[in-house]
Amino acid sequence: MDEILKYFPHLTETQLRQFTALGSLYPDWNEKINVISRKDITNLYTHHILHSLGIAKFITPVKGTSFIDLGTGGGFPGIPLAIMWPDCKFHLIDRIGKKIKVASSIAEEIGLTNVTFQHGDIGECHIKVDFVVSRAVMQLNELVKLVVKNISKTDRNGFPNGLICLKGGELADELGRVKQPTIDVPLSDYFFEEYFKTKDLIYVEL
């Protein structure tokens, strides 16, 4: 939890309680349903929660902004962002039902009221949102094709609506296949831990 407070020191009591609860809930659920590598569960706050909150360093959405978290797995980045932005709405999608079960159960246990869940495919999702977020889901150009239909044309934030992805590794070739305007932000600009030296945030205007 210290990792979160280091970069987000002005949390409300509710946010503190919810982020703290994740530290016990995820390991407990992970024993039953493996949503995080068992070798990595001890790095929950840095590698998963703080990583997800890289998006909260990039953008501060206005009240009512809506998000789809595509390929949410156990709830990343959607659940940390929903805690950080209680006045925004999040729809978390994953093809694997047991992962949605974990994410929805954790959201219920910590009292999140701004999240909904879908077990299925983005092709079955017809809602329009301001932003789609994802964490290491697929190649960017393929992701753009899948989600462009879900992006609302009513821009109300500092950035035009679009796609915000958390990715790692060498991204030059992948970015080169995307025709839309993009921004590539190294997460080491925000966070100083070694883990983030190879992690980036990619924004694609849609």
Side-chain angles (χ1 to χ4, degrees), residues 35-55:
V35 293
I36 295 172
S37 165
R38 291 200 166 93
K39 294 179 180 178
D40 202 34
I41 193 67
T42 55
N43 298 310
L44 172 69
Y45 277 103
T46 300
H47 292 188
H48 301 278
I49 299 173
L50 188 59
H51 188 204
S52 297
L53 293 176
I55 294 171

Side-chain angles (χ1 to χ4, degrees), residues 69 72 75 78-79 90-94 100 103 115-119:
D69 176 6
T72 188
I79 286 178
F90 293 83
H91 185 63
L92 280 58
I93 303 175
D94 203 278
I100 285 291
V115 292
T116 54
F117 297 88
Q118 178 184 332
H119 171 211

Side-chain angles (χ1 to χ4, degrees), residues 93-107:
I93 303 175
D94 203 278
R95 290 178 176 178
I96 301 175
K98 64 182 181 180
K99 292 186 176 182
I100 285 291
K101 178 183 177 182
V102 172
S104 60
S105 297
I106 287 175

Side-chain angles (χ1 to χ4, degrees), residues 2 6 9 49 55 65 71 82 107 137 162 188:
D2 290 343
K6 178 179 176 181
I49 299 173
I55 294 171
T65 298
V137 171
S188 57

Side-chain angles (χ1 to χ4, degrees), residues 24-205:
S24 58
L25 289 172
Y26 272 106
D28 287 349
W29 270 105
N30 218 50
E31 289 295 319
K32 308 170 204 170
I33 299 172
N34 191 22
V35 293
I36 295 172
S37 165
R38 291 200 166 93
K39 294 179 180 178
D40 202 34
I41 193 67
T42 55
N43 298 310
L44 172 69
Y45 277 103
T46 300
H47 292 188
H48 301 278
I49 299 173
L50 188 59
H51 188 204
S52 297
L53 293 176
I55 294 171
K57 286 291 189 182
F58 177 73
I59 186 172
T60 303
V62 300
K63 183 177 181 178
T65 298
S66 56
F67 296 83
I68 289 173
D69 176 6
L70 176 58
T72 188
F76 301 106
I79 286 178
L81 291 176
I83 294 172
M84 188 62 68
W85 299 326
D87 292 328
C88 296
K89 296 180 286 187
F90 293 83
H91 185 63
L92 280 58
I93 303 175
D94 203 278
R95 290 178 176 178
I96 301 175
K98 64 182 181 180
K99 292 186 176 182
I100 285 291
K101 178 183 177 182
V102 172
S104 60
S105 297
I106 287 175
E108 183 177 357
E109 289 181 73
I110 66 173
L112 278 183
T113 58
N114 58 335
V115 292
T116 54
F117 297 88
Q118 178 184 332
H119 171 211
D121 189 272
I122 188 67
E124 302 162 351
C125 179
H126 304 294
I127 65 171
K128 297 274 189 181
V129 295
D130 298 294
F131 296 96
V132 172
V133 296
S134 76
R135 188 169 177 256
V137 171
M138 63 177 69
Q139 291 284 306
L140 269 174
N141 61 322
E142 296 300 322
L143 198 49
V144 166
K145 291 176 189 175
L146 288 177
V147 305
V148 67
K149 67 178 177 59
N150 297 99
I151 301 296
S152 165
K153 299 304 179 188
T154 307
D155 295 327
R156 48 183 164 172
N157 288 280
F159 290 94
N161 292 352
L163 175 65
I164 305 174
C165 296
L166 297 168
K167 285 187 163 283
E170 177 52 54
L171 297 170
D173 289 345
E174 191 171 340
L175 288 168
R177 292 193 291 272
V178 177
K179 297 178 181 177
Q180 292 84 351
T182 62
I183 298 173
D184 179 0
V185 182
L187 286 183
S188 57
D189 285 2
Y190 303 140
F191 307 133
F192 304 127
E193 287 76 5
E194 185 75 20
Y195 176 75
F196 296 106
K197 287 186 177 179
T198 59
K199 306 297 180 186
D200 287 57
L201 179 148
I202 309 297
Y203 160 78
V204 183
E205 181 181 335

